[in-house]
Amino acid sequence: MCIRDRRRVHGDIMIFFRGLRIQKNGIKRSFVGGKPSSECFVLFETKEEAVRASTLNNEKIGDRFVEIGITGRREFEHFVIHNFMTNGPTYSKDNMPNIPLDKRKSTLMVVGLPYNITIEEVRQFFNSFDLREQDIYLLSTHSGKFSGNSLITFCDEIEARRALKTKHLSYLGDRYIEIYEYK
């Protein structure tokens, strides 16, 4: 099922579909250039639940109408490929730290951080990982302001994969955090 509404967040969507069974981690937001777009997919427990959800087409979340349509597996697979495998933000080399080639597989891009976050708060978010201050890079835009994105180098590739698996698509305060492999 696909929803189109640019401003909705995970909690709003859960409330909107109250009474329907959504799969665990079943809300997948669409991103363009690392920023949320107007689409998300909601994966329901059964096809019947999805059909019931589709009856909410053109209802409102807050003051906004929401378009809902049932989609097929092919459209969802296309969505996943374009949103979670190749859609991390891009930066010019001038604004990126120099990460050695042998550390790139253990480095992750974290997207969606609060603009006033500190390195210590990032360490707290990843508190089950052994991170040093010099392993966390808060990235800046071309104008020098913090972008809301960070590169984090973990001790090895296994820890980076564990962080990706446990922290991707989670919340830091009220911010929705996404994590991508650094390339």
Side-chain angles (χ1 to χ4, degrees):
M1 166 156 307
C2 181
I3 298 177
R4 289 186 175 89
D5 183 348
R6 195 173 304 276
R7 298 185 305 172
R8 293 306 127 198
V9 295
H10 185 272
D12 294 330
I13 294 166
M14 293 295 291
I15 291 168
F16 184 74
F17 289 117
R18 186 177 319 169
L20 298 172
R21 293 175 302 159
I22 297 172
Q23 292 179 14
K24 183 178 181 181
N25 297 318
I27 298 175
K28 307 293 184 191
R29 295 187 67 187
S30 176
F31 289 79
V32 175
K35 298 194 184 289
S37 77
S38 62
E39 257 182 10
C40 80
F41 277 77
V42 179
L43 305 174
F44 291 93
E45 291 287 337
T46 65
K47 186 173 184 172
E48 291 75 26
E49 296 281 327
V51 170
R52 282 183 48 214
S54 70
T55 65
L56 299 171
N57 186 41
N58 290 322
E59 294 292 327
K60 286 185 175 184
I61 296 179
D63 62 347
R64 307 265 312 191
F65 286 99
V66 179
E67 275 183 63
I68 300 174
I70 295 179
T71 59
R73 175 165 295 287
R74 179 173 285 171
E75 189 172 352
F76 179 69
E77 288 171 354
H78 181 265
F79 166 82
V80 169
I81 288 168
H82 290 282
N83 277 280
F84 300 111
M85 296 179 183
T86 60
N87 206 31
T90 57
Y91 291 88
S92 73
K93 290 185 179 185
D94 297 337
N95 292 346
M96 295 296 284
N98 185 15
I99 297 181
L101 286 174
D102 64 324
K103 287 294 201 177
R104 291 199 179 173
K105 287 192 175 197
S106 62
T107 301
L108 299 175
M109 170 77 76
V110 181
V111 177
L113 294 167
Y115 291 105
N116 61 348
I117 197 163
T118 65
I119 288 177
E120 184 55 35
E121 290 169 320
V122 173
R123 284 180 67 193
Q124 289 299 317
F125 181 70
F126 290 97
N127 63 2
S128 63
F129 301 89
D130 185 25
L131 289 176
R132 300 170 303 159
E133 191 171 307
Q134 62 264 32
D135 296 329
I136 301 169
Y137 307 92
L138 301 180
L139 301 178
S140 301
T141 64
H142 293 288
S143 65
K145 294 181 179 178
F146 176 55
S147 66
N149 303 329
S150 175
L151 284 177
I152 301 175
T153 301
F154 293 83
C155 62
D156 58 35
E157 190 175 348
I158 294 168
E159 283 294 279
R161 289 192 186 279
R162 186 169 72 89
L164 183 62
K165 186 175 183 177
T166 60
K167 296 294 189 175
H168 180 57
L169 302 177
S170 61
Y171 282 86
L172 175 59
D174 63 349
R175 296 298 301 259
Y176 185 71
I177 305 301
E178 295 186 61
I179 302 175
Y180 301 94
E181 293 177 354
Y182 177 64
K183 303 198 181 204

Coordinates of all heavy atoms in Angstrom, one line a residue, residues 105-139:
K105 N 34.2 0.4 4.9 CA 33.1 -0.6 5.1 C 32.6 -0.6 6.5 O 31.6 -1.2 6.8 CB 33.7 -2.0 4.7 CG 33.8 -2.2 3.2 CD 34.1 -3.6 2.8 CE 34.1 -3.7 1.3 NZ 34.0 -5.1 0.9
S106 N 33.3 0.0 7.4 CA 32.9 0.1 8.8 C 32.3 1.5 9.1 O 32.1 1.8 10.3 CB 34.0 -0.3 9.8 OG 35.1 0.6 9.7
T107 N 32.1 2.3 8.1 CA 31.5 3.6 8.2 C 30.1 3.7 7.7 O 29.8 3.2 6.6 CB 32.4 4.6 7.5 OG1 33.8 4.5 8.0 CG2 31.9 6.1 7.6
L108 N 29.3 4.4 8.5 CA 27.9 4.5 8.1 C 27.5 6.0 8.0 O 28.0 6.8 8.8 CB 26.9 3.9 9.1 CG 27.1 2.4 9.3 CD1 26.2 1.9 10.5 CD2 26.8 1.6 8.0
M109 N 26.6 6.3 7.1 CA 26.0 7.7 7.0 C 24.7 7.7 7.8 O 23.8 6.9 7.6 CB 25.7 8.0 5.5 CG 24.9 9.3 5.3 SD 25.9 10.8 5.5 CE 26.8 10.8 4.0
V110 N 24.6 8.6 8.8 CA 23.4 8.7 9.6 C 22.7 10.0 9.1 O 23.3 11.1 9.1 CB 23.7 8.8 11.1 CG1 22.5 9.0 11.9 CG2 24.5 7.6 11.5
V111 N 21.4 9.9 8.8 CA 20.6 10.9 8.2 C 19.4 11.3 9.1 O 18.8 10.4 9.6 CB 20.1 10.5 6.8 CG1 19.2 11.6 6.2 CG2 21.3 10.1 5.9
G112 N 19.2 12.6 9.2 CA 18.0 13.0 10.0 C 18.2 13.4 11.4 O 17.3 13.6 12.2
L113 N 19.5 13.7 11.8 CA 19.8 14.1 13.1 C 19.3 15.5 13.4 O 19.2 16.3 12.5 CB 21.3 14.1 13.3 CG 22.0 12.7 13.2 CD1 23.5 12.8 13.2 CD2 21.6 11.9 14.5
P114 N 19.0 15.8 14.7 CA 18.6 17.1 15.0 C 19.7 18.1 14.7 O 20.9 17.8 14.9 CB 18.3 17.1 16.6 CG 18.1 15.6 16.8 CD 18.9 14.9 15.8
Y115 N 19.3 19.3 14.3 CA 20.4 20.3 13.9 C 21.2 20.8 15.1 O 22.3 21.3 14.8 CB 19.7 21.5 13.1 CG 19.2 21.0 11.8 CD1 17.8 20.9 11.6 CD2 20.1 20.7 10.8 CE1 17.3 20.4 10.4 CE2 19.6 20.3 9.5 CZ 18.2 20.1 9.3 OH 17.8 19.7 8.1
N116 N 20.7 20.6 16.3 CA 21.5 21.1 17.4 C 22.2 20.0 18.2 O 22.6 20.2 19.3 CB 20.6 21.9 18.4 CG 19.4 21.0 18.9 OD1 19.2 19.9 18.4 ND2 18.7 21.6 19.9
I117 N 22.3 18.8 17.6 CA 22.9 17.6 18.3 C 24.4 17.8 18.5 O 25.1 18.5 17.7 CB 22.6 16.3 17.5 CG1 22.8 15.1 18.4 CG2 23.4 16.3 16.2 CD1 22.2 13.9 17.9
T118 N 24.9 17.2 19.5 CA 26.3 17.2 19.8 C 26.9 15.8 19.5 O 26.2 14.8 19.4 CB 26.6 17.6 21.3 OG1 26.1 16.5 22.1 CG2 26.0 18.9 21.6
I119 N 28.2 15.8 19.4 CA 28.9 14.5 19.2 C 28.6 13.6 20.4 O 28.3 12.4 20.2 CB 30.4 14.7 19.0 CG1 30.6 15.3 17.6 CG2 31.1 13.4 19.2 CD1 32.1 15.6 17.3
E120 N 28.5 14.1 21.6 CA 28.2 13.3 22.8 C 26.8 12.7 22.7 O 26.6 11.5 23.1 CB 28.4 14.1 24.1 CG 28.2 13.3 25.3 CD 29.1 12.0 25.4 OE1 30.2 12.1 25.0 OE2 28.6 11.0 26.0
E121 N 25.9 13.4 22.2 CA 24.5 12.9 22.0 C 24.4 11.8 21.0 O 23.7 10.8 21.1 CB 23.5 14.0 21.7 CG 23.3 15.0 22.8 CD 22.5 16.2 22.5 OE1 22.8 16.8 21.4 OE2 21.7 16.7 23.3
V122 N 25.2 11.9 19.9 CA 25.3 10.9 18.9 C 25.9 9.6 19.6 O 25.4 8.5 19.4 CB 26.2 11.3 17.7 CG1 26.4 10.1 16.8 CG2 25.6 12.5 17.0
R123 N 26.9 9.8 20.4 CA 27.5 8.6 21.1 C 26.5 8.0 22.0 O 26.4 6.7 22.1 CB 28.7 9.1 22.0 CG 30.0 9.3 21.1 CD 31.1 9.8 22.0 NE 31.5 8.7 22.8 CZ 32.4 8.8 23.9 NH1 32.9 10.0 24.1 NH2 32.7 7.8 24.6
Q124 N 25.6 8.8 22.7 CA 24.6 8.2 23.6 C 23.6 7.4 22.7 O 23.1 6.4 23.2 CB 23.9 9.3 24.3 CG 24.7 9.9 25.4 CD 25.2 8.9 26.4 OE1 24.4 8.1 26.9 NE2 26.4 9.0 26.8
F125 N 23.2 7.9 21.5 CA 22.3 7.2 20.7 C 22.9 5.8 20.3 O 22.1 4.8 20.2 CB 22.0 8.0 19.4 CG 21.0 7.4 18.5 CD1 19.7 7.2 18.8 CD2 21.5 6.9 17.2 CE1 18.8 6.7 17.9 CE2 20.6 6.3 16.4 CZ 19.2 6.2 16.7
F126 N 24.2 5.7 20.1 CA 24.8 4.5 19.8 C 25.5 3.9 21.0 O 26.6 3.4 21.0 CB 25.8 4.7 18.7 CG 25.2 5.0 17.3 CD1 25.1 6.3 16.9 CD2 24.8 3.9 16.5 CE1 24.5 6.5 15.6 CE2 24.2 4.2 15.3 CZ 24.1 5.5 14.9
N127 N 24.9 4.0 22.2 CA 25.6 3.7 23.5 C 26.0 2.2 23.6 O 26.8 1.9 24.4 CB 24.7 4.1 24.7 CG 23.4 3.3 24.7 OD1 23.1 2.5 23.9 ND2 22.5 3.7 25.6
S128 N 25.4 1.3 22.8 CA 25.8 -0.1 22.9 C 27.0 -0.4 22.0 O 27.4 -1.6 21.8 CB 24.7 -1.0 22.6 OG 24.2 -0.8 21.2
F129 N 27.6 0.6 21.4 CA 28.8 0.5 20.5 C 29.9 1.2 21.1 O 29.7 2.3 21.7 CB 28.4 1.0 19.1 CG 27.3 0.3 18.5 CD1 26.0 0.7 18.7 CD2 27.5 -0.8 17.7 CE1 24.9 0.1 18.1 CE2 26.4 -1.5 17.1 CZ 25.1 -1.1 17.3
D130 N 31.1 0.7 20.9 CA 32.3 1.4 21.4 C 32.8 2.4 20.4 O 33.5 2.1 19.4 CB 33.4 0.4 21.6 CG 34.6 1.0 22.2 OD1 34.5 2.0 22.9 OD2 35.7 0.4 22.0
L131 N 32.3 3.7 20.5 CA 32.7 4.8 19.6 C 33.5 5.8 20.4 O 33.3 6.1 21.5 CB 31.4 5.5 19.1 CG 30.5 4.7 18.1 CD1 29.3 5.5 17.8 CD2 31.3 4.4 16.9
R132 N 34.5 6.3 19.6 CA 35.3 7.4 20.2 C 34.9 8.7 19.5 O 34.3 8.7 18.4 CB 36.8 7.1 19.8 CG 37.3 5.8 20.5 CD 38.7 5.5 20.0 NE 38.6 5.4 18.5 CZ 39.7 5.5 17.7 NH1 40.9 5.7 18.2 NH2 39.5 5.4 16.4
E133 N 35.1 9.8 20.2 CA 34.7 11.1 19.6 C 35.3 11.3 18.2 O 34.6 11.8 17.4 CB 35.2 12.2 20.6 CG 34.6 13.5 20.3 CD 35.0 14.6 21.3 OE1 34.7 14.3 22.5 OE2 35.5 15.6 21.0
Q134 N 36.5 10.9 18.0 CA 37.1 11.1 16.6 C 36.5 10.2 15.6 O 36.8 10.4 14.4 CB 38.6 11.0 16.7 CG 39.1 9.7 17.1 CD 39.4 9.6 18.6 OE1 38.8 10.2 19.4 NE2 40.4 8.8 18.9
D135 N 35.6 9.3 15.9 CA 35.0 8.4 15.0 C 33.6 9.0 14.5 O 33.0 8.4 13.6 CB 34.7 7.0 15.6 CG 35.9 6.3 16.0 OD1 36.9 6.5 15.3 OD2 35.9 5.5 17.0
I136 N 33.2 10.1 15.0 CA 31.9 10.7 14.6 C 32.2 12.0 13.9 O 32.9 12.9 14.5 CB 31.1 11.0 15.9 CG1 30.8 9.6 16.6 CG2 29.8 11.6 15.5 CD1 30.2 9.8 18.0
Y137 N 31.7 12.2 12.7 CA 31.9 13.4 11.9 C 30.5 14.0 11.7 O 29.7 13.4 11.0 CB 32.5 13.0 10.6 CG 33.8 12.3 10.7 CD1 33.8 10.9 10.6 CD2 35.0 12.9 10.8 CE1 34.9 10.2 10.7 CE2 36.2 12.2 10.9 CZ 36.2 10.8 10.9 OH 37.3 10.1 11.0
L138 N 30.3 15.2 12.2 CA 29.0 15.9 11.9 C 29.3 16.7 10.6 O 30.2 17.5 10.5 CB 28.7 16.9 13.0 CG 28.5 16.2 14.4 CD1 28.2 17.3 15.5 CD2 27.4 15.2 14.4
L139 N 28.5 16.4 9.6 CA 28.7 16.9 8.2 C 28.0 18.3 8.1 O 26.9 18.6 8.6 CB 28.1 16.0 7.2 CG 28.8 14.6 7.2 CD1 28.1 13.7 6.2 CD2 30.3 14.6 7.0

